[in-house]
Amino acid sequence: MDLETLESILDEFNYIGLFLWLWLGVFGAPIPNEVIVMTIGFASSTDVLISPYAFITVYLGIVGALTTCYLLGRLLGKPLLKWMKQKKRKNHSLEKAIRFMNKYHTFSLPLSYFLPGFRNIVPFLYGLSKLSYKKFALLSYSAALVWVTGVFFLGYWFGEEIDSNQIVIEEVVIVALAILIVFTVLMVWKRKKRRAKAHSE
């Protein structure tokens, strides 16, 4: 995605078009999310976008995509799962995602967004497994905020100077940070749950 494409979306649809591109584009766009978000970050350092609006739009678009995947799993999970198993490539991705979930359990949800092969399918599978929306939102949205912040500001500060190798390194750093944040959120949530249980008794 280049600045000309971004400017054409903004000229025609404003920030709503940008939101829709991020929300629906992840299901069919051939451009990696990292490239899109970094381009938007870079554009925010110029006169093309207003930084706060761009960041909020990016985050809401990503959250919208994650929520859609979750709801598809929760509402249409079984028919979609059957269809995916009939497609060789999708079935392979499905099997990898299931192994990933079995290995990391609940942590696989926040971690999935940092791994391009899992970021859409894992929320779908957790929707299929009927994970509560409250728990899904807590884990998924917090991880998305960390990811969006890291990638957006990489584009904002470094723009076109970042090559693919640097992106991989920065992604690893962001993953480590995400693990720390998610672990902290889980500890706080469990502590509150224990306190609520103690009060009820």
Side-chain angles (χ1 to χ4, degrees):
M1 185 180 190
D2 54 29
L3 287 179
E4 289 183 4
T5 303
L6 185 58
E7 286 178 333
S8 65
I9 293 173
L10 289 169
D11 288 341
E12 192 164 354
F13 303 107
N14 209 318
Y15 284 90
I16 294 175
L18 192 58
F19 167 78
L20 292 174
W21 173 262
L22 286 157
W23 174 30
L24 302 175
V26 295
F27 299 104
I31 307 169
N33 289 358
E34 289 83 357
V35 175
I36 297 173
V37 176
M38 285 184 66
T39 302
I40 294 171
F42 174 61
S44 298
S45 67
T46 67
D47 296 329
V48 176
L49 291 171
I50 301 172
S51 299
Y53 296 159
F55 181 85
I56 292 170
T57 302
V58 167
Y59 180 66
L60 291 178
I62 295 299
V63 164
L66 291 173
T67 306
T68 301
C69 292
Y70 169 80
L71 291 176
L72 284 173
R74 197 168 180 93
L75 301 176
L76 302 172
K78 290 182 179 179
L80 284 177
L81 188 65
K82 184 178 179 180
W83 175 78
M84 290 171 70
K85 287 182 176 180
Q86 293 173 349
K87 306 292 182 179
K88 187 175 180 179
R89 187 174 178 182
K90 292 186 182 297
N91 187 52
H92 179 65
S93 299
L94 183 66
E95 290 174 353
K96 286 174 63 179
I98 291 172
R99 288 197 298 269
F100 177 73
M101 290 169 66
N102 289 335
K103 184 175 181 179
Y104 295 103
H105 305 290
T106 308
F107 282 103
S108 63
L109 181 55
L111 287 175
S112 67
Y113 205 78
F114 297 87
L115 304 170
F118 300 117
R119 63 178 49 142
N120 293 326
I121 195 167
V122 169
F124 166 79
L125 290 172
Y126 272 108
L128 179 63
S129 69
K130 305 299 182 183
L131 179 73
S132 70
Y133 174 76
K134 184 178 179 180
K135 194 169 185 179
F136 164 79
L138 175 69
L139 296 171
S140 189
Y141 296 174
S142 58
L145 180 60
V146 174
W147 183 88
V148 168
T149 301
V151 178
F152 181 92
F153 283 103
L154 278 174
Y156 186 92
W157 289 321
F158 300 105
E160 298 175 323
E161 297 177 8
I162 298 178
D163 59 27
S164 58
N165 292 328
Q166 288 173 305
I167 292 174
V168 171
I169 294 171
E170 296 294 345
E171 285 277 280
V172 171
V173 174
I174 294 169
V175 168
L177 181 60
I179 293 172
L180 177 62
I181 290 176
V182 171
F183 179 80
T184 304
V185 170
L186 280 174
M187 291 301 100
V188 172
W189 178 70
K190 286 182 178 180
R191 186 176 298 174
K192 287 184 178 179
K193 191 174 181 181
R194 283 197 297 267
R195 287 178 180 174
K197 187 177 180 180
H199 285 305
S200 63
E201 294 174 350

